[in-house]
Amino acid sequence: MDKAPPVTERSPMTLSATLVLASGNPGKLREFAQLLAPLGMQVRPQSDFAVPEVEETGLTFVENALLKAREASRVSGLPALADDSGLEVDALDGAPGIYSARFAGEPKSDARNNTRLLEALAEVPEGRRTARYWCVLVFLRHAEDPVPIIVQRSWEGEILAHPRGEGGFGYDPLFWLPDQGLSVAELPAAEKNRLSHRGRALQALVERFRGGDKAP
Amino acid sequence: MDKAPPVTERSPMTLSATLVLASGNPGKLREFAQLLAPLGMQVRPQSDFAVPEVEETGLTFVENALLKAREASRVSGLPALADDSGLEVDALDGAPGIYSARFAGEPKSDARNNTRLLEALAEVPEGRRTARYWCVLVFLRHAEDPVPIIVQRSWEGEILAHPRGEGGFGYDPLFWLPDQGLSVAELPAAEKNRLSHRGRALQALVERFRGGDKAP
């Protein structure tokens, strides 16, 4: 069992120098590695350890993130970081939610998911198309860590009637940011990393690691 | 499905006036009800709805609390609040942790749990008997809420070599508070509610409900 000191509000964490990221996404790996490098932390992809894909059976983002982090930690023997994220649309009672990546069924397809979202909202007028992206990050010191660090951050927007922009992924072409007057897919990548649910969750996690946050 | 607005950092929550507490403990019910009454929220015990006991199969406090809250919400049709708590002892690699209530096996017994803890620490000298209580609270707007409010708070102390005091429950007679010069079982109840992991978690949750906290 990992003997890193427990995470409490007492003091800054002492961390193992290396953690495994429970994701196969190279973009995420780069972003996480950049933000954690100044803390002396190295991020390794779970592909380095042949971590098998886990079934995301949770009913919340945090439960799914925990399933992924736990498996990555178990197989690698390292502390593990995982994220789970999705889109919550008010007019759809919160759907697609934890099913965002598979909203239009298998195989997963951003294009088909976007089409299905537009169809579901076809009768919903502007002004009632409010939505938010969620990102939930969890960090486990070891596979049996009973008190993960948990960070949940959202990003508010509205669902467009037609896609705009070429950047990003997922529902980004349909996710309108009123303050910016742009869809997320039109937002420069650096700007997206600064403003987004994932970027802000990651910044919050870094603060937590630094001991600047008061409690897990 | 409950249509209460989602919890984000945008604005104070609008809450259903009534929630169910996923606990059969009258002391907890009273404490939670007192703190939530000023917000116009009523707390009902899950016994009002004959919520069956769930198996706590989670590997973290938060997963166990979610299992309990979800079942209470599913059966009652109300938003649900649940807590899960335990003791983390550094010299025991974090044990008894999520198994705190059943550390000495079934049937659950505070006395036998305390005896087992003393035995496990028999060879561990003063100064290396650091420990903390954890309390994790979760609030689900409805049974399928993908983004629960989650609060985790700890309380630092040391494990005594002999029990002291008659108050409290669980490991309180063995949990020494260096700042107070008392065991938790010697601490007046009001003082315990103010300082404890559970009291502070509940206060943090109330702040979250009030919208004073920046993010779930």
Side-chain angles (χ1 to χ4, degrees):
Chain A
M1 197 180 283
D2 188 293
K3 298 216 187 176
V7 182
T8 73
E9 58 268 60
R10 290 169 303 154
S11 59
M13 273 184 87
T14 308
L15 280 167
S16 303
T18 305
L19 61 84
V20 59
L21 180 66
S23 167
N25 184 317
K28 281 188 196 173
L29 183 72
R30 195 168 46 238
E31 196 181 335
F32 285 48
Q34 279 170 0
L35 266 161
L36 294 173
L39 304 184
M41 295 167 72
Q42 289 197 306
V43 183
R44 292 183 64 180
Q46 65 176 7
S47 56
D48 282 3
F49 306 93
V51 177
E53 195 164 341
V54 297
E55 207 185 338
E56 298 187 23
T57 54
L59 291 175
T60 54
F61 295 117
V62 68
E63 286 166 298
N64 282 332
L66 282 168
L67 290 170
K68 291 185 275 191
R70 188 175 292 132
E71 184 69 357
S73 181
R74 189 185 65 76
V75 173
S76 68
L78 293 173
L81 181 60
D83 81 328
D84 200 48
S85 51
L87 180 70
E88 183 178 54
V89 180
D90 295 326
L92 304 178
D93 279 341
I98 56 168
Y99 306 105
S100 294
R102 36 189 160 150
F103 191 36
E106 299 284 350
K108 294 172 188 171
S109 152
D110 284 349
R112 291 196 303 115
N113 287 340
N114 277 267
T115 300
R116 177 153 181 216
L117 181 61
L118 286 178
E119 285 168 3
L121 291 173
E123 307 296 319
V124 181
E126 215 183 308
R128 292 216 205 137
R129 298 168 71 101
T130 51
R132 64 206 55 77
Y133 269 132
W134 279 105
C135 175
V136 177
L137 293 179
V138 306
F139 175 77
L140 287 176
R141 292 166 292 165
H142 54 79
E144 276 145 36
D145 184 353
V147 196
I149 298 180
I150 301 168
V151 177
Q152 304 186 123
R153 287 295 184 277
S154 65
W155 198 13
E156 297 294 320
E158 291 162 25
I159 304 303
L160 291 164
H162 304 281
R164 289 180 56 150
E166 303 294 330
F169 61 96
Y171 298 94
D172 288 354
L174 295 179
F175 197 89
W176 179 249
L177 303 168
D179 288 351
Q180 276 69 30
L182 295 171
S183 78
V184 174
E186 294 172 320
L187 205 62
E191 201 60 2
K192 182 181 174 188
N193 287 346
R194 192 174 67 82
L195 296 174
S196 76
H197 53 312
R198 184 169 295 107
R200 287 171 42 253
L202 198 45
Q203 290 153 24
L205 183 76
V206 168
E207 287 305 306
R208 196 71 61 88
F209 282 154
R210 284 205 174 109
D213 214 328
K214 280 186 70 178
Chain B
M1 199 180 285
D2 188 296
K3 299 217 188 174
V7 181
T8 72
E9 57 267 62
R10 290 169 305 153
S11 60
M13 274 185 85
T14 308
L15 282 167
S16 304
T18 305
L19 63 84
V20 60
L21 180 66
S23 166
N25 184 316
K28 281 188 197 173
L29 183 72
R30 194 168 50 238
E31 196 182 335
F32 284 47
Q34 280 171 359
L35 266 160
L36 294 172
L39 305 184
M41 294 166 72
Q42 289 197 306
V43 182
R44 293 183 65 181
Q46 66 176 5
S47 55
D48 283 4
F49 305 94
V51 176
E53 194 164 340
V54 296
E55 208 186 337
E56 298 186 24
T57 54
L59 291 176
T60 55
F61 295 117
V62 68
E63 286 166 299
N64 282 332
L66 282 167
L67 290 170
K68 292 186 273 190
R70 189 174 291 131
E71 183 69 357
S73 182
R74 189 185 65 77
V75 174
S76 69
L78 292 173
L81 182 60
D83 82 330
D84 200 46
S85 50
L87 180 69
E88 184 180 51
V89 180
D90 296 325
L92 304 178
D93 280 339
I98 57 169
Y99 306 106
S100 294
R102 36 187 159 147
F103 190 37
E106 298 284 352
K108 293 173 190 171
S109 153
D110 284 350
R112 291 196 303 116
N113 287 340
N114 278 265
T115 300
R116 175 152 183 217
L117 181 61
L118 287 179
E119 287 167 2
L121 291 174
E123 307 296 319
V124 180
E126 216 184 307
R128 293 216 205 135
R129 298 167 71 102
T130 51
R132 64 208 54 79
Y133 269 132
W134 280 105
C135 175
V136 176
L137 293 179
V138 306
F139 175 77
L140 287 175
R141 294 167 291 167
H142 54 80
E144 277 146 36
D145 185 352
V147 196
I149 298 181
I150 301 167
V151 178
Q152 304 187 123
R153 287 292 183 279
S154 64
W155 198 13
E156 295 294 321
E158 291 161 25
I159 304 303
L160 290 164
H162 304 282
R164 288 180 55 150
E166 303 295 327
F169 61 95
Y171 298 93
D172 288 354
L174 294 180
F175 196 90
W176 178 250
L177 303 168
D179 288 351
Q180 275 70 32
L182 294 171
S183 78
V184 175
E186 294 174 319
L187 204 63
E191 201 60 3
K192 180 181 175 186
N193 287 346
R194 192 173 66 82
L195 295 174
S196 76
H197 53 313
R198 184 171 294 106
R200 288 170 42 250
L202 198 45
Q203 291 153 22
L205 184 76
V206 167
E207 288 305 306
R208 196 72 59 88
F209 282 155
R210 284 205 175 110
D213 214 328
K214 282 186 70 178

